Amino acid sequence: MEVVYLLIGLSVAMALIPAYVAKSKGRSFGQFLIYGAMLGPIAITHALVMKRQTVTTRSEIHPSAEESKKCPYCAERIQQEAIVCKHCGRDLLELSDERETLGTIRLSHQNFQIGLFVGVFLLTMLIVYLSTR
């Protein structure tokens, strides 16, 4: 009877892991929950390697918006390559440096999630293997 409970727990974990990862990447939680319940390790691998779903932005709809951007300080339109706002005189390089740092932090957080899920999966497989011996 212990083995049955263990297999049920493993099945639930194999369904929830890809669903959570897919949700964090902008995909459907429900679809990946079903996918994970049916194909466990394949769904986990697929959810971990798939790219983040991008949302269509205004610049993709209106190409002319790509030529300019809003200054974060005074909200006036400036050229995309500008390093100093021509309206308020504020330096825009500091802002781009902060965004690059945030991207690095997000990447390391994603790597932590992937490592956590792989570790839980391997630990679960070890428990199942040792309980069937």
Side-chain angles (χ1 to χ4, degrees):
M1 197 62 174
E2 262 182 44
V3 174
V4 173
Y5 291 135
L6 189 61
L7 290 175
I8 290 171
L10 180 63
S11 298
V12 169
M14 297 285 256
L16 287 174
I17 290 172
Y20 174 75
V21 172
K23 182 180 177 191
S24 70
K25 293 184 176 186
R27 308 293 176 128
S28 172
F29 181 86
Q31 287 178 348
F32 270 84
L33 184 69
I34 294 169
Y35 180 33
M38 292 170 38
L39 298 174
I42 296 171
I44 291 172
T45 306
H46 182 211
L48 290 173
V49 298
M50 74 179 173
K51 294 181 180 177
R52 182 174 300 279
Q53 187 173 12
T54 58
V55 178
T56 305
T57 61
R58 181 180 292 178
S59 63
E60 292 173 353
I61 297 170
H62 304 290
S64 62
E66 289 182 17
E67 298 170 3
S68 64
K69 63 181 178 180
K70 275 189 175 181
C71 173
Y73 302 107
C74 67
E76 291 289 336
R77 299 302 282 172
I78 55 175
Q79 289 186 2
Q80 191 75 358
E81 297 84 20
I83 55 174
V84 175
C85 177
K86 67 180 181 179
H87 301 285
C88 66
R90 301 284 300 263
D91 188 14
L92 302 174
L93 284 179
E94 298 169 2
L95 189 63
S96 65
D97 291 341
E98 290 174 10
R99 287 184 181 160
E100 289 175 9
T101 305
L102 290 175
T104 305
I105 293 169
R106 185 180 306 137
L107 181 63
S108 63
H109 179 70
Q110 183 180 11
N111 288 341
F112 172 75
Q113 285 181 337
I114 290 171
L116 179 66
F117 288 131
V118 169
V120 167
F121 174 72
L122 292 175
L123 182 63
T124 307
M125 295 304 289
L126 179 66
I127 291 170
V128 168
Y129 174 74
L130 291 176
S131 67
T132 58
R133 285 180 24 151

